[in-house]
Amino acid sequence: MPALVRPDLAYMASYVDALHEGYARDSLRPESPELIAQITREPEWFVRLVNNPPTTIVLPDASLGERVPETELWWVEDDRFLGSVGVRHRLNDLLEAWGGHIGYSVRPSARGQGHATAMLAAMLDHIREHLSLDRVTLTVNSNNPASMRVIEKNGGVFRDEIPHPWIEGDTGRRYWIDLR
Ligand SMILES: CC(C)(COP(=O)(O)OP(=O)(O)OC[C@H]1O[C@@H](n2cnc3c(N)ncnc32)[C@H](O)[C@@H]1OP(=O)(O)O)[C@@H](O)C(=O)NCCC(=O)NCCS
């Protein structure tokens, strides 16, 4: 049975395979060949980075923004990496408008098997246990029906449709999920 775990060196061989398959943590920003090469060379560094994220982030428009505290967990079965899910412990104005509390991604070869739905459910349990959030916000691009379905299957309530802050002409949908 798959489980949600802290990122660990034990899964890095499979993680690198997933990167070569086209897995990326952020659907807006595919991992570059240079970063994939560095992760392959220095898996310890990468695991440390994921478990201790920096406090600033380069935004899609290349400006430097605040990176709010975040926990990333991995969805694994035995030593196979299947996907990742991250939770932001709080939102800033930017994330309230787009980004929300939770982001997730499943490696291409494991999609369509219910992993994102189960991984999000497990993350909601993790938040109930470890964070003091009563409600989480999730945003999804309007051209991503699979992700909308994943959110709705986890009790997501449609909030509103919003323009995408970085992609001209794109729209997204905001949802909330009550946790208590
Ligand atoms: C979106 C994503 C996470 C889904 O992962 P997954 O493991 O395939 O999702 P699941 O198998 O749990 O569920 C997908 C659901 O969407 C449905 N679905 C898939 N493609 C669909 C489509 N084109 N239209 C409508 N529904 C669709 C599936 O039928 C399934 O619903 P069901 O269980 O009721 O049949 C995965 O495609 C991914 O990682 N994409 C890239 C990153 C990304 O987009 N992350 C989300 C950002 S908000």
Side-chain angles (χ1 to χ4, degrees), residues 27 104-106 110-117 139-140 144-147 149-150 153:
S27 49
Y104 45 81
S105 183
V106 169
R111 290 181 190 165
Q113 300 164 37
H115 286 305
T117 305
T139 62
V140 55
N144 196 344
S147 186
R149 183 85 189 106
V150 167
K153 284 196 291 179

